[in-house]
Amino acid sequence: MSLCSAKCIRIAALAAAAIVLGTQFAIAQEPSIGAQWLNTPVSRVEALAVLQTLNANLLSNASATLTLDRWCAAHKLAPEGFKIVAQRVGGQGKPADEDIRELLSVGPGELIAYRRVRLVCGDRVLSEADNWYVPAKLTAEMNQALNTSDIPFGRAVQALNFTRTNLSAKLLWSPLSEGWDMDGLTAHETSSPGLPAFLLEHRAVLKLPDGTPFSALVESYTEKVLDFPVPRLLSQ
């Protein structure tokens, strides 16, 4: 996977080492507080490892919706059986500019639709997404569902067997300062007022099996992706 470099793997390995050999992970049952992830150097390394795990999962799967379905279930962010739903965000649209039209390989006269949604797991908003797509590349049923319901885009067009080309993956926030892996953790990394609103940003293009692009996405992942109890240590 091009955008998830060897450093991601190294971070995950360091996280495991930081937790200490001979211990086991367990998830605490008490309510989660975002700042708990930032209280100790170890929890900060854990937070970074978790973020990079989500990052890798998103980059290696075509559908962010289905990836978030699995993330929501695995981390018990909603009652069992809940699926990701899309809350449509109204207001002023964002017309496709020349860059979007170039990404989608369409001329100035071809219709490009715009949709902004919040992807929600239970009562938690996990991401906000801007989506420009070419209605002519979808079926009439897909367009009807997108125009009249809150169905997530990835679920609506799943039958297209689309692929995803990742353009960028940006960590908007890191729980550790730059160079921590060489210089060590500093004192200020043992406390923090809390997590920022957005942690990751992805830009991608969805394509039909023949390589035809039909959707351009900007996805911003919120602090709620970490809204579960910090892993704790249990003695063997």
Side-chain angles (χ1 to χ4, degrees), residues 82-112:
F82 269 59
K83 296 291 186 182
I84 294 295
V85 297
Q87 292 180 348
R88 298 182 67 176
V89 180
Q92 186 176 2
K94 296 182 180 179
D97 59 19
E98 291 183 7
D99 291 337
I100 295 295
R101 289 189 172 274
E102 184 176 353
L103 284 174
L104 295 177
S105 299
V106 297
E110 188 167 357
L111 176 64
I112 296 179

Side-chain angles (χ1 to χ4, degrees), residues 3-234:
L3 290 175
C4 187
S5 65
K7 189 169 183 179
C8 298
I9 299 173
R10 186 182 179 194
I11 288 170
L14 286 168
I19 294 166
V20 183
L21 292 173
T23 62
Q24 297 176 328
F25 273 116
I27 300 299
Q29 298 303 312
E30 51 272 4
S32 174
I33 300 173
Q36 290 178 355
W37 285 98
L38 312 178
N39 285 341
T40 69
V42 168
S43 66
R44 283 176 172 270
V45 174
E46 290 175 334
L48 187 55
V50 171
L51 278 179
Q52 292 290 16
T53 297
L54 174 60
N55 197 32
N57 289 343
L58 290 164
L59 290 171
S60 61
N61 289 279
S63 173
T65 300
L66 299 183
T67 300
L68 290 180
D69 273 339
R70 293 187 288 269
W71 189 265
C72 179
H75 296 89
K76 297 178 171 51
L77 299 179
E80 186 175 355
F82 269 59
K83 296 291 186 182
I84 294 295
V85 297
Q87 292 180 348
R88 298 182 67 176
V89 180
Q92 186 176 2
K94 296 182 180 179
D97 59 19
E98 291 183 7
D99 291 337
I100 295 295
R101 289 189 172 274
E102 184 176 353
L103 284 174
L104 295 177
S105 299
V106 297
E110 188 167 357
L111 176 64
I112 296 179
Y114 170 76
R115 198 171 188 251
R116 180 173 176 82
V117 299
R118 299 185 182 98
L119 294 183
V120 180
C121 166
D123 60 357
R124 295 172 169 89
V125 177
L126 300 189
S127 76
E128 297 187 8
D130 293 306
N131 182 9
W132 295 266
Y133 63 96
V134 185
K137 306 298 182 184
L138 311 184
T139 67
E141 292 77 14
M142 291 173 184
N143 283 311
Q144 176 73 6
L146 291 170
N147 289 333
T148 62
S149 75
D150 288 344
I151 187 172
F153 189 81
R155 214 182 314 281
V157 303
Q158 189 173 0
L160 295 177
N161 296 316
F162 60 87
T163 60
R164 179 183 177 105
T165 297
N166 296 302
L167 304 178
S168 67
K170 185 186 302 182
L171 197 64
L172 301 178
W173 166 83
S174 175
L176 298 170
S177 60
E178 186 175 359
W180 69 272
D181 49 344
M182 295 298 293
D183 302 329
L185 303 179
T186 59
H188 80 273
E189 288 168 338
T190 61
S191 63
S192 172
L195 298 171
F198 296 99
L199 308 180
L200 290 170
E201 181 188 270
H202 284 186
R203 295 176 181 265
V205 173
L206 305 184
K207 298 180 179 180
L208 299 175
D210 65 0
T212 302
F214 68 92
S215 172
L217 301 164
V218 178
E219 303 161 337
S220 300
Y221 295 90
T222 78
E223 84 284 0
K224 295 301 182 182
V225 300
L226 291 180
D227 197 15
F228 57 91
V230 178
R232 65 179 180 180
L233 302 178
L234 290 181

